[in-house]
Amino acid sequence: MVDVQQRSVKADPQDELAEQLRLLQKLSGLGVRALAKDTGLSSSSLSRYLNGQIVPPWPAVIALCRLVKRDPRPLRPLWERSSNPLPAPPKASRQVHPQPRNDLPRDVADFTGREAELAAVLAAVDSHRIVAVDGMAGVGKTCLAVHAAHRLATRYPDAQLYVDLHGFTEGRPPLDPDSALRMLLGALDVPSERVPQEGLEQLAACWRSELARRRVVVVLDNAADAEQVRPLLPGAGPSVALVTSRNRLLGLEEVPPVSLDVLSPQESAELLARASGDPSGPDGRLARDPEAAAEVLRLCGHLPLALRLAAARLRHRPGWTVGILVERLAEGASEFDTAFAMSVRQLDRAQARLFRLLGLLPGASFDEYVAAALADISLRSARAMLEDLLDAHLVQQPTPGRYRLHDLVHQHARRSTAEQDSPAERERALGRVLDYYVHAAAAADAAMPFLSAGRPASAGRPPAELPRFTDKNAAFSWLVAEYGNLIGVFETAAATGADAHVCELPRFLRAYFARRCGTTHLNVLFERSLVAAERLGDPLQLAEAHSDLGFARYNAGRMAEAAAAYEAAGLLVSQAGDRRAEAELAMRRGYLSWDEGHVEEPLELFRLAGSLYEAAGSVTGAAHAAAAEAWAMLQLGHREEAAQRAREVLDIPHTDPAWPPTLTARITLGVAIAHEEPDEATEHLRQALELAREDGHLNNQAWCLNCLGVALRQMGRYEEALASHREAFALLDELFEEHWKIRFLNGYGETCRLAGLPEEALRLHREALELAPRLGYRYEEALAHEGIAVVLEETDPAAAAQHRAARQAVLKELG
């Protein structure tokens, strides 16, 4: 690695960092475009990193170092000195997870033995920060890893994370590293704007970067192999990982292994006594019949899982002797089936049926609501039965209100339902699960009005009981907890031909993806939804599928594909006769039309959307359309009309102070009246910024800050305007969706010019000119030409004239 520490510290750390990055480029022997391609970076961004114009995000530094096989850690202090020369933007005033995240399953109260193995795990963590625990099924790998993680929690206070990789879960494939990384980054509350949209290497680099500046302990449970787990391991920094697998992870040569065998006879006897609640001393049942107790240990194979199952029966049957327990255990075929069959035989008919059906669940953990839907029973009955299954050690409770099945138990339940329940009953049960998740997701979506789909679910039948979401934060917490299950349900629906569910479920996940996973996965889901809608042949479903795919394409900056999808939707939506769907499509086409450079058409589309929403009886939809109409008026220079329309939106009575249409209305009003009413304008823009921060959406925060910069510039408060733009671009530099920058570059450039910074203005307009044609933002291309022409007017009039001619050509092309 380039030796940073031996170099003298320069006055500007950003210049020094750029010099180090140029040395890395030299080592690679590649030009900028080739280097950008091999590292997954954009060539324009990479060029600015190498020239010292902006500081790259840490994952970009890692990508450059890895390409030339250099350790990035020595560059970290220099990168930190170079980053964020301005104060960090304020955090959102209210977070979904105000406390550090703790996902660890509950530590077992009867943890027994394993002193040497626990010491080895903790020593490996101290020396290598990573340890891999391996051993046969049921031997207690997860129990040991979770126990160790609880012991380490105080040393790693920033988060304690757990993810089941499902390496050996019957009926579902292992969790792919891409999905696991997105779940882990979401657990750390990393905004979607900082999560790379494509590329496992970029995702892994982002994960390592986040861990490098926190003290986190993460349990990676049930890994299939080294390839699955390698991208999930921490890199530089203090964070630690505990991995479990049934296989020895030989591919992780640098990770020390701790292998588990069955418990010793003494440890087995101690666990059986503690788990069964048997009193110590000669009066205990085990002590009174030591030969029978030894036979229990033998029949359970000294496996902790089997021992706990057997102990649960003894604990809940005070009239049993140990001899009776031996008789029941002896009816099984193996140490696993012995314990499982004996435990299941103690269940009543309804409990046994629920247990069997739990083997059909496509997700990992579950709650009482989905259990009730699965078995078609009341919530109260489901809660009581789950408690009984918990007492019998047939289900586990990793956190309050959530349950899971050990892999071996899941396998037994799945086999049992295949043997005892008819195919028709299994199909109906799985159908009820699919129905539950679509309707529960719709309820969560309805509690998050900013991106709400605006209509209830129609797939399947609604369950008898759904979770109640008191506000958008409660809904979002549910989506975070259930995300893995929702994706599993989507895959199950696709595999079983439940096309209506495949069509609808992604529509209710847009709010989650907007704040956590960005646009890549959402595009994939909507692509598959469209295929399902084509099979269904319903005009409305097909129209909405095209529209939703267009929306996902638009948010990913894929403008031409968005236009094609909207055109396909337009041919169908009038045939369907649904006013709300027509209104939503008109709004979406208005946004796209504006970004493509059209001026009058967006205003017409927003007005059309408003009238359609009113006809459909949607007050919120009509307000959204009116706010968008006011924004379009402002862009056309109609300040008074824009201000009046924005005030009309703000005057609509509503109980929610964070009602989504007010964000656009306050931004529009603030910019529109900046000349005449500077104090009121500033107040509206700051209130809009607070709304965006409270919502936790970086894109909208950047929009508010840039518009505040424009308004302050119009008031002649150039230094404050520059500070606002810089704060916005500090946020935008965290985004991996480059198309967001093009919306703000020209406005920032104009502020720089008027503030007496012509070189900076020129750089920003040229950056806009490079991005705009590639991304399809033709109007911004025209503005960039005009901005460059204004800057060059005095120093290079010939070049200024060329840019003005180019601007006219673009505008003529746009009509």
Side-chain angles (χ1 to χ4, degrees), residues 758-759 762 766 785-805:
E759 292 301 319
L762 197 59
R766 282 174 172 163
H785 279 300
E786 177 64 20
I788 294 171
V790 172
V791 174
L792 294 179
E793 246 172 355
E794 294 184 4
T795 59
D796 193 344
Q802 290 177 346
H803 280 285
R804 285 212 163 88

Side-chain angles (χ1 to χ4, degrees), residues 92-93 450 472 631 650 657-671 680-708 711 731:
S93 59
F450 187 75
K472 65 182 179 184
W631 175 255
L650 294 176
W659 194 40
T662 62
L663 179 74
T664 302
R666 289 196 185 281
I667 291 173
T668 302
L669 182 57
V671 176
E680 183 187 352
T682 304
E683 180 60 24
H684 281 298
L685 287 162
R686 295 200 184 280
Q687 287 185 35
L689 181 57
E690 286 307 308
L691 289 175
R693 284 174 175 163
E694 191 274 340
D695 194 50
H697 205 295
L698 288 187
N699 306 65
N700 284 339
Q701 291 177 48
W703 182 30
C704 292
L705 285 163
N706 273 293
C707 289
L708 178 59
L731 290 175

Side-chain angles (χ1 to χ4, degrees), residues 37-291:
K37 182 179 179 182
D38 287 355
T39 54
L41 304 171
S42 77
S43 57
S44 60
S45 295
L46 178 59
S47 177
R48 294 194 294 277
Y49 303 156
L50 295 173
N51 292 331
Q53 293 173 342
I54 62 173
V55 178
W58 181 241
V61 178
I62 293 175
L64 290 166
C65 291
R66 292 191 65 168
L67 184 69
V68 296
K69 297 181 171 57
R70 293 295 189 270
D71 185 356
R73 286 174 291 185
L75 284 176
R76 182 75 190 194
L78 179 59
W79 177 83
E80 289 177 348
R81 294 200 307 273
S82 305
S83 300
N84 298 323
L86 296 171
K91 299 296 184 183
S93 59
R94 186 170 68 209
Q95 299 292 331
V96 173
H97 299 294
Q99 300 299 321
R101 183 73 171 254
N102 187 337
D103 289 338
L104 294 179
R106 186 176 297 167
D107 197 7
V108 293
D110 55 12
F111 185 84
T112 302
R114 303 297 194 198
E115 286 87 357
E117 292 88 347
L118 178 60
V121 167
L122 296 176
V125 167
D126 286 339
S127 61
H128 290 74
R129 297 188 301 105
I130 306 170
V131 63
V133 181
D134 61 78
M136 66 185 294
V139 80
K141 302 179 296 295
T142 300
C143 187
L144 175 63
V146 169
H147 184 69
H150 279 283
R151 290 272 297 267
L152 294 165
T154 56
R155 291 167 52 188
Y156 299 91
D158 293 334
Q160 299 86 43
L161 305 182
Y162 171 90
V163 63
D164 187 345
L165 300 175
H166 294 288
F168 302 91
T169 303
E170 184 176 348
R172 65 169 293 170
L175 188 66
D176 63 275
D178 185 286
S179 297
L181 284 167
R182 294 183 188 279
M183 291 170 65
L184 288 165
L185 288 165
L188 288 180
D189 277 337
V190 178
S192 64
E193 296 85 354
R194 280 169 41 198
V195 177
Q197 298 307 301
E198 296 182 358
L200 179 60
E201 284 298 317
Q202 288 179 303
L203 267 176
C206 180
W207 166 242
R208 291 191 295 270
S209 173
E210 292 296 328
L211 291 186
R213 54 193 182 87
R214 311 176 196 236
R215 298 190 67 85
V216 175
V217 57
V218 56
V219 176
L220 304 170
D221 195 19
N222 201 7
D225 51 38
E227 293 307 310
Q228 183 191 25
V229 81
R230 184 176 286 109
L232 314 182
L233 300 178
S239 294
V240 300
L242 293 80
V243 186
T244 76
S245 178
R246 295 186 193 177
N247 296 329
R248 191 78 174 267
L249 300 178
L250 299 176
L252 301 179
E253 301 88 352
E254 72 281 11
V255 177
V258 174
S259 297
L260 297 190
D261 201 346
V262 296
L263 295 173
S264 69
Q266 181 180 350
E267 291 172 333
S268 298
E270 183 181 348
L271 176 57
L272 182 64
R274 294 182 64 185
S276 65
D278 198 53
S280 58
D283 294 333
R285 283 177 287 180
L286 297 170
R288 290 199 303 268
D289 195 348
E291 290 185 3

